Amino acid sequence: RVLGESFNIRGIGTAETSGDEARIVVNVDGAKKFYEQYRMGSFFSDPELYKQVEVLRGPASSTLYGSGALGGVINFTTKDASDFIGYDKTGAARLKTQYSSNGNGTLVSGILAQQISDTFEVL
């Protein structure tokens, strides 16, 4: 992904500022996301890997998530291998291709999921 995503909650956070200056805390599975600042945007990730996104607006979220959350907090929860594997199956494969005529861009991505045992999955 050449261009990253930028977040704006109630007017706080802009594409021009880096993630640290945006005053929005972004967590992925409970871990604070550090920002790549070498391209446009500040969040580079595949949206299909998330099963839940929670947006907490306003500075009150600073009491739960620490300083830097003046605009709010965005929590991402990633999918598990079981989210891709069907009922009574032990594995799954997904291949995605995309073509964008604006700039002649192509995208190819793949996901493999395997359930080894009842308590162990690989994604």
Side-chain angles (χ1 to χ4, degrees):
R1 182 178 290 248
V2 176
L3 299 175
E5 302 296 326
S6 295
F7 302 108
N8 183 317
I9 300 175
R10 291 186 161 187
I12 298 176
T14 63
E16 294 83 28
T17 58
S18 68
D20 296 333
E21 298 169 351
R23 304 294 181 237
I24 296 172
V25 172
V26 178
N27 294 321
V28 178
D29 288 335
K32 187 173 181 179
K33 173 71 174 152
F34 294 99
Y35 297 91
E36 302 94 356
Q37 298 176 3
Y38 58 94
R39 297 182 185 172
M40 282 288 288
S42 59
F43 186 75
F44 298 85
S45 186
D46 186 358
E48 291 187 22
L49 293 178
Y50 299 111
K51 65 178 161 185
Q52 181 178 342
V53 178
E54 177 185 28
V55 178
L56 305 172
R57 55 192 163 105
S61 43
S62 289
T63 59
L64 295 174
Y65 294 95
S67 64
L70 180 65
V73 177
I74 302 174
N75 289 319
F76 290 91
T77 304
T78 55
K79 292 180 180 177
D80 298 320
S82 58
D83 294 318
F84 295 99
I85 300 171
Y87 181 72
D88 275 349
K89 305 288 184 196
T90 59
R94 179 182 291 178
L95 180 65
K96 176 184 171 183
T97 60
Q98 177 180 329
Y99 173 74
S100 174
S101 61
N102 185 6
N104 293 325
T106 58
L107 170 72
V108 178
S109 66
I111 296 173
L112 294 173
Q114 185 69 38
Q115 183 176 8
I116 307 299
S117 69
D118 290 340
T119 59
F120 185 67
E121 299 175 339
V122 177
L123 180 61

